[in-house]
Amino acid sequence: YVCEANNRIWGCNFSRVDGELVNEIRSCALGDFRNWYLFEGTSMDSYVVSVGSDGVFTGAFSLKGNPLFFKENVMHRISGTQPSNFALNSTQCRGVQDGCWRSLTQVNETLYYKARTDVMAYDGSLPVSVSENLGDERYYEASAGAVRDKYYISMRDADQNWNLFVFDTRKGLWHREDSSHIQHFATVHGDMYMVQPGQPAALMSVNGTEGTPEEDFEWSVTFGVYGYESEMQKYLSRFNIRAFLEAKAFMKMEIMYDSDGIWVDEGTVRCPARRTFMIPVIPRRCDHCQVRLSGKGEAKIYSYARVLEIGGDG
């Protein structure tokens, strides 16, 4: 794995050469990517340092001018401006998962990557997990890209199913986009391009600046469990949903009562023309419930309110 930092190409190597274990990080001469063995005692020299961590390297990235080299359980950071003051700093942490080097992506001033159990964020201090909301599912072979404030990551789960997730770094929200297997990402002129492997491969743009717009896509959102913390016999009288639907789009509302595993269809709204409307939904009495909205076509949910009333003790 290689990266560029301060007019030098940096690389790493973990292998056996002539029977000897090589476990090192090195850089080329200043401004000369073809020369890795210039050692004349000047600021132009190449640089090499051995590391003591075990295991293969799993990725490399340059963040804020500092080369970073990862293994699954360690991060090596090079600081300094020339060979005479280059320094190696090693941190035991959740590093890049093997096979997920393409997940290393910078969003604004923060680096994001896929570790063995989490998606991590690193701003120069210590990496922290940002993927608690994805649950306990394990993912592999991640690749990622970024556009504006969003981090896109395509990963394979243990059942060989692909998932494209989007993390809104400003709002802290995760969304599952679809089941796309994206192998490569590239951001150009404010839009992000994605390559989907296949015969033939597909090239897509996230913001739709090029290509044919996606139409009639399916979507859904599942809210958390609503419970009633009051002892004053509160009950849910209705939901009020204000939404906008494109022409010929539709939206369906389902409710699961008391965690019984059954999604009850509470109605579908179909829109023959572009319009915004309020949808009142009256649920049945329950201790707690969960709501799922789904549909097809472009939709915007402007507000989602639940109205509680207090019943009697009898």
Side-chain angles (χ1 to χ4, degrees), residues 125-168:
S125 52
L126 283 175
V128 296
S129 172
V130 295
S131 60
E132 292 87 352
N133 291 336
L134 294 184
D136 297 328
E137 180 72 60
R138 295 294 183 94
Y139 296 97
Y140 310 88
E141 301 178 43
S143 58
V147 62
R148 298 177 182 172
D149 296 322
K150 295 180 179 178
Y151 175 71
Y152 286 73
I153 181 168
S154 176
M155 304 182 286
R156 175 183 61 80
D157 63 25
D159 295 324
Q160 310 300 315
N161 299 313
W162 287 93
N163 301 269
L164 177 60
F165 294 103
V166 185
F167 178 55
D168 189 321

Side-chain angles (χ1 to χ4, degrees), residues 77-293:
R77 175 177 174 269
I78 301 291
S79 60
T81 58
Q82 56 185 322
S84 62
N85 62 19
F86 282 150
L88 174 69
N89 303 279
S90 301
T91 302
Q92 295 292 324
C93 62
R94 286 167 285 183
V96 175
Q97 182 180 12
D98 193 16
C100 296
W101 61 273
R102 289 191 181 95
S103 69
L104 285 157
T105 302
Q106 184 173 344
V107 183
N108 298 326
E109 292 75 38
T110 303
L111 175 64
Y112 294 86
Y113 62 88
K114 174 67 172 65
R116 276 183 291 186
T117 58
D118 302 86
V119 176
M120 309 297 292
Y122 174 68
D123 61 2
S125 52
L126 283 175
V128 296
S129 172
V130 295
S131 60
E132 292 87 352
N133 291 336
L134 294 184
D136 297 328
E137 180 72 60
R138 295 294 183 94
Y139 296 97
Y140 310 88
E141 301 178 43
S143 58
V147 62
R148 298 177 182 172
D149 296 322
K150 295 180 179 178
Y151 175 71
Y152 286 73
I153 181 168
S154 176
M155 304 182 286
R156 175 183 61 80
D157 63 25
D159 295 324
Q160 310 300 315
N161 299 313
W162 287 93
N163 301 269
L164 177 60
F165 294 103
V166 185
F167 178 55
D168 189 321
T169 62
R170 184 168 59 88
K171 298 178 180 178
L173 297 176
W174 280 96
H175 299 89
R176 183 183 183 275
E177 187 81 4
D178 52 33
S179 58
S180 296
H181 172 199
I182 306 300
Q183 194 169 45
H184 302 286
F185 294 82
T187 302
V188 181
H189 301 310
D191 202 348
M192 186 174 68
Y193 295 84
M194 306 184 296
V195 176
Q196 189 172 31
Q199 297 295 332
L203 177 64
M204 298 172 285
S205 62
V206 170
N207 294 329
T209 56
E210 293 187 50
T212 303
E214 183 181 18
E215 296 180 352
D216 296 333
F217 55 88
E218 296 182 356
W219 58 269
S220 71
V221 55
T222 303
F223 295 90
V225 175
Y226 296 131
Y228 311 116
E229 299 175 356
S230 171
E231 297 179 355
M232 301 177 66
Q233 301 298 317
K234 277 188 179 181
Y235 69 92
L236 185 62
S237 63
R238 70 179 183 274
F239 288 99
N240 287 336
I241 305 171
R242 184 170 178 268
F244 166 83
L245 292 181
E246 276 284 355
K248 299 182 181 180
F250 71 85
M251 181 175 70
K252 179 170 71 172
M253 182 174 186
E254 299 168 285
I255 301 180
M256 181 191 298
Y257 296 98
D258 296 330
S259 301
D260 61 3
I262 301 172
W263 288 102
V264 179
D265 189 345
E266 297 290 351
T268 299
V269 176
R270 299 184 182 275
C271 191
R274 294 165 52 99
R275 59 170 294 197
T276 301
F277 45 82
M278 181 74 74
I279 311 169
V281 178
I282 301 177
R284 70 186 190 208
R285 290 285 188 98
C286 62
D287 175 73
H288 60 274
C289 66
Q290 192 171 10
V291 173
R292 180 168 69 189
L293 301 178

Side-chain angles (χ1 to χ4, degrees), residues 26-27 35-42 45-48:
R26 61 167 63 231
S27 85
N35 194 339
W36 297 76
Y37 296 94
L38 179 66
F39 300 108
E40 296 179 348
T42 71
D45 280 356
S46 307
Y47 177 76
V48 59

